[in-house]
Amino acid sequence: MLPTTMNTLPAKMVEGLSIIRTFATFPSSQLGAPSYGFVSFLHHNRGSRLNFPKTVWSLEKCSMRVENSLQALRPASEAFAQEAIEALKAGKVIAVPTDTLYGLACDACSSEAVNRIYEIKGRKLTSPLAICVGDVSDITRFAVADHLPHGLLDSLLPGPVTVVLKRGESSILEKSLNPGLESIGVRVPDADFIRLISRRSGTALALTSANLSGQPSSVYVNDFENLWQHCAYVYDGGVLPAGRAGSTIIDLTKRGTFKIIRAGSAKEQTVATLERYSLLEEADSAA
């Protein structure tokens, strides 16, 4: 199995595995030991005075880490949707592709899981998380949208846009998500896998980019391989074509106006859509 997976692994892992494989197949006559196989050889020679015991043990540990990472890696396909949903319901964090970046996701109504995302990213608790839902029609379960022109959200979403709306009293979101904020950023990515698991899970997913805070965003699973060990599963959707700009974030909390919070990857088409629905851009108070 090792040769077929080598091309899909990060360079550091490939190098480590290559050394392990070479050492494991090294002729026993040159090692001065019976033909035990790699791990058996290590245990057999634990007390011997070889010149490389620390290297050998570190390689064995490297092999175990690589194996654990490989066990978490999956294709982002419908065949693996159910296990993703079960992980989410168990309060675990998964990594998934969206239409812009790879993201870390968990059940937005699990305070323990949400706190875990903050720990993984090394993110300040004052930085809010967005939520992801499966369909535009789900948005009203979590946020207030009745002040918006009819059809606007369907024109913006699914797509690379985060709409910021007020939660309202009817929102089923846990108060522990972004405490103290009356608004919530909502995404419906144009990406089949995350929409599928969002829809089937019956809840919203807390969603944030899969990277350490302050580090470049991820458009390929190898970009955040340092975080794999913290995820129940990592779902591979290949290289994402939108670049690293992320979604365009727009504030739609006020009737008749909009405000661009982050330009992101779709600013021009987003503004054009908003203006087509007669929304005016809110003046910059700092100007």
Side-chain angles (χ1 to χ4, degrees):
M1 181 175 178
L2 183 61
T4 61
T5 59
M6 293 286 276
N7 292 334
T8 66
L9 295 175
K12 292 181 181 179
M13 290 187 178
V14 170
E15 181 181 358
L17 284 172
S18 298
I19 296 172
I20 293 171
R21 182 174 59 178
T22 301
F23 186 76
T25 57
F26 210 77
S28 58
S29 59
Q30 295 184 44
L31 290 173
S35 180
Y36 284 110
F38 184 53
V39 176
S40 297
F41 169 76
L42 293 175
H43 285 275
H44 179 78
N45 290 279
R46 184 177 297 181
S48 61
R49 300 189 63 180
L50 298 174
N51 293 326
F52 44 80
K54 292 183 179 179
T55 301
V56 171
W57 282 110
S58 66
L59 289 175
E60 185 181 22
K61 291 178 181 178
C62 174
S63 175
M64 293 173 64
R65 287 196 298 269
V66 170
E67 183 179 358
N68 290 338
S69 295
L70 286 176
Q71 288 175 350
L73 193 60
R74 302 279 195 276
S77 67
E78 184 175 359
F80 295 94
Q82 188 55 42
E83 69 170 17
I85 294 167
E86 291 173 359
L88 291 168
K89 289 183 176 180
K92 297 179 180 179
V93 175
I94 62 174
V96 289
T98 72
D99 52 356
T100 54
L101 306 169
Y102 276 84
L104 299 176
C106 72
D107 182 352
C109 292
S110 169
S111 58
E112 182 178 348
V114 169
N115 288 336
R116 181 64 178 147
I117 278 187
Y118 278 101
E119 291 175 1
I120 292 172
K121 283 183 65 75
R123 186 174 185 170
K124 294 181 180 178
L125 293 174
T126 52
S127 299
L129 298 179
I131 63 170
C132 169
V133 296
D135 296 288
V136 176
S137 59
D138 295 324
I139 293 176
T140 54
R141 297 173 58 204
F142 305 96
V144 176
D146 55 9
H147 64 294
L148 299 176
H150 179 72
L152 174 61
L153 291 180
D154 290 293
S155 297
L156 292 171
L157 303 167
V161 180
T162 300
V163 294
V164 178
L165 299 166
K166 291 183 178 179
R167 296 195 196 199
E169 294 299 323
S170 61
S171 174
I172 66 172
L173 279 177
E174 291 286 334
K175 300 295 184 183
S176 58
L177 180 68
N178 305 339
L181 291 182
E182 296 181 354
S183 59
I184 185 70
V186 186
R187 287 221 61 197
V188 185
D190 189 12
D192 292 339
F193 185 74
I194 189 170
R195 290 186 65 195
L196 179 63
I197 61 177
S198 298
R199 190 181 298 124
R200 290 185 181 178
S201 66
T203 185
L205 306 184
L207 183 67
T208 185
S209 56
N211 60 293
L212 292 173
S213 288
Q215 297 299 309
S217 301
S218 302
V219 295
Y220 183 42
V221 290
N222 292 53
D223 290 341
F224 62 98
E225 61 183 278
N226 57 321
L227 302 183
W228 289 8
Q229 60 183 315
H230 303 297
C231 301
Y233 300 108
V234 176
Y235 293 97
D236 188 352
V239 179
L240 305 182
R244 300 182 190 273
S247 64
T248 296
I249 305 178
I250 52 172
D251 185 336
L252 295 178
T253 57
K254 297 179 181 179
R255 184 185 298 272
T257 65
F258 70 91
K259 183 177 182 180
I260 300 293
I261 297 177
R262 183 176 72 189
S265 58
K267 178 183 176 181
E268 291 184 7
Q269 53 266 50
T270 299
V271 170
T273 299
L274 294 168
E275 291 178 344
R276 191 167 72 248
Y277 280 84
S278 301
L279 267 67
L280 301 175
E281 184 167 7
E282 191 176 325
D284 189 349
S285 58

